[in-house]
Amino acid sequence: MNLHKVQLLVRQVKKGEVVALYVRDDLELPFVPTVGMQFKQGISAWLWETDKGELMPGIETVTYDFDEEKFVCLFTVEEALNASFWNKIEGANIERSTYPAYYQTRS
């Protein structure tokens, strides 16, 4: 069975601005994710947990990064995610990271 390296990238947007990124970049899946697909974690933890409940966003885009040899799945949410599943990036660290290249064009 072939496994595919997959990174989940979630941008939290408020008033049109990205205020945080949530990343999980160590996944290997037996399939290639597709636009619209949703991910759910078992019953013991909520992958999409927020202070207000659970979200269920679908994949907006799937990008294959030739340099990193991985698929990057982009999601957008409006609320902060609470699950320990995610690595959170905030403030100036967002623009210093490599992640905006997956949702912003270069200028």
Side-chain angles (χ1 to χ4, degrees), residues 63-74:
T63 302
Y64 184 75
D65 185 323
F66 284 104
D67 296 328
E68 300 293 326
E69 298 180 333
K70 67 181 173 187
F71 291 93
V72 180
C73 301
L74 177 66

Side-chain angles (χ1 to χ4, degrees), residues 14-97:
K14 284 191 179 179
K15 297 182 181 176
E17 293 207 23
V18 176
V19 295
L21 295 176
Y22 298 86
V23 182
R24 183 64 184 252
D25 56 8
D26 60 350
L27 300 174
E28 290 189 345
L29 300 176
F31 58 88
V32 176
T34 60
V35 171
M37 184 178 282
Q38 296 176 317
F39 290 100
K40 188 139 179 102
Q41 189 176 20
I43 33 184
S44 63
W46 292 8
L47 179 65
W48 302 103
E49 178 183 358
T50 71
D51 288 340
K52 297 179 182 178
E54 184 179 23
L55 304 174
M56 277 303 295
I59 297 173
E60 293 175 38
T61 63
V62 178
T63 302
Y64 184 75
D65 185 323
F66 284 104
D67 296 328
E68 300 293 326
E69 298 180 333
K70 67 181 173 187
F71 291 93
V72 180
C73 301
L74 177 66
F75 302 82
T76 300
V77 298
E78 294 181 357
E79 299 175 45
L81 300 177
N82 296 336
S84 61
F85 178 86
W86 304 105
N87 296 312
K88 185 176 184 180
I89 301 169
E90 297 178 276
N93 291 330
I94 293 172
E95 290 303 320
R96 282 186 236 152
S97 73

